[in-house]
Amino acid sequence: MSTQAEQRPWEQRDFTQVRPYGDTFDDGMIQLSFSLPVPPGEEAAEAARQLVVQMGLTDPAVVHQHDLGENFTFVVLYAKTKAAVDYTKIKVAKVDSPRMSFYEVNDYIKEHVGRKITIIGACTGTDAHTVGIDAIMNMKGYNGEYGLERYPMVEAYNLGSQVENEEMVAKALELNADAILVSQVVTQKDVHIPNLAQLVELLEAEGLRQKLVLICGGPRISHELALELGYDAGFGPGTLAPDVASYVVQEMTRRGLK
């Protein structure tokens, strides 16, 4: 009969040596998928296996191929890695702002700011995907949380998609905005990075950067990246209106923006 430790190896896991597992705990099994510019077949499978071996992985096994047409093949395979990370030494830049509820945010604004705050948001550049910014801004909100348009102490302006950075800056000047929210969903070839950086440059040129809270968000946005680009905070997938609103009002108070 197996011992309890054998049945539950995770209870004695070593957090200094963390690696993936699939079939058996700590076996290093990972799943990979990618496309190859070759027609499907045994040659494509072998090319995928050899490529994975060159990555330093072992025991590659192709489990799926899909013909993409035009002599391209999508491949899914499993392989093993001996690599491990020291989880105890991982430090991640995160937004340090307690999350408040819809009612708490509005009460906080009344008490600490003493007036309605103005927040504008948009998908900038060539980005036409408004799902993320709509979830934050639109009155109906998302996943049971009201959007910023529903907050009685917030004047929220959703400018929509494909908004040029110059238009964002002009709107911020016109409305005397307290915060700008930028959503970036289209990130192929890192197009979001120069676009986000340009907005910061334009705000600095107008003398606005230190007068408002600047936030970006999207599937490939991290808080660390946002800070590197000159933003106050970055929010990734799963962010809801209370997360953003809580940060904005607390950052305004911290910096004395009233």
Side-chain angles (χ1 to χ4, degrees):
M1 180 180 293
S2 300
T3 66
Q4 186 176 26
E6 290 173 335
Q7 293 172 340
R8 298 179 178 178
W10 53 87
E11 293 182 353
Q12 297 181 354
R13 73 188 76 176
D14 179 3
F15 283 101
T16 67
Q17 291 288 310
V18 174
R19 59 174 53 84
Y21 75 94
D23 298 325
T24 306
F25 186 81
D26 211 33
D27 61 9
M29 184 73 75
I30 59 175
Q31 177 179 304
L32 301 93
S33 62
F34 47 81
S35 299
L36 292 174
V38 298
E42 288 302 315
E43 291 81 2
E46 182 58 26
R49 283 190 288 266
Q50 290 188 22
L51 182 62
V52 166
V53 169
Q54 291 185 48
M55 293 178 185
L57 305 176
T58 63
D59 303 326
V62 174
V63 296
H64 176 71
Q65 287 190 55
H66 180 71
D67 187 354
L68 297 175
E70 301 293 333
N71 288 329
F72 282 82
T73 304
F74 179 72
V75 180
V76 178
L77 52 78
Y78 292 102
K80 292 183 178 180
T81 178
K82 295 180 180 179
V85 297
D86 187 344
Y87 184 81
T88 65
K89 293 183 179 180
I90 291 177
K91 304 296 181 184
V92 178
K94 295 184 288 187
V95 176
D96 184 15
S97 176
R99 188 181 194 269
M100 296 184 287
S101 70
F102 169 85
Y103 299 102
E104 290 171 334
V105 168
N106 288 287
D107 289 342
Y108 186 97
I109 296 173
K110 292 176 184 177
E111 179 180 352
H112 295 276
V113 183
R115 61 170 175 82
K116 286 188 176 184
I117 66 172
T118 299
I119 300 177
I120 62 175
C123 298
T124 59
T126 59
D127 203 319
H129 298 72
T130 63
V131 174
I133 197 68
D134 287 346
I136 301 298
M137 301 291 290
N138 287 3
M139 182 174 290
K140 64 182 180 181
Y142 179 74
N143 198 29
E145 293 288 355
Y146 295 135
L148 297 181
E149 291 177 349
R150 186 71 174 263
Y151 285 56
M153 293 302 294
V154 175
E155 293 286 355
Y157 297 85
N158 185 353
L159 305 186
S161 65
Q162 296 182 319
V163 177
E164 295 296 333
N165 284 326
E166 291 82 1
E167 184 180 344
M168 286 287 284
V169 174
K171 201 67 174 179
L173 281 166
E174 175 191 339
L175 299 173
N176 193 25
D178 295 294
I180 292 178
L181 313 181
V182 181
S183 175
Q184 296 284 262
V185 177
V186 176
T187 57
Q188 285 88 343
K189 297 184 179 180
D190 288 334
V191 66
H192 61 300
I193 293 179
N195 183 60
L196 289 169
Q198 185 199 37
L199 178 58
V200 175
E201 293 171 358
L202 291 173
L203 290 170
E204 289 176 343
E206 291 289 342
L208 290 177
R209 176 62 192 91
Q210 298 306 317
K211 298 179 181 179
L212 49 74
V213 179
L214 187 58
I215 296 173
C216 57
R220 290 182 59 192
I221 300 297
S222 67
H223 185 51
E224 182 178 13
L225 174 61
L227 296 178
E228 290 176 359
L229 295 174
Y231 287 69
D232 293 308
F235 290 89
T239 301
L240 298 173
D243 302 306
V244 175
S246 297
Y247 176 80
V248 168
V249 298
Q250 290 175 69
E251 179 68 3
M252 287 181 62
T253 301
R254 186 184 70 81
R255 289 165 50 188
L257 301 176
K258 296 185 178 181

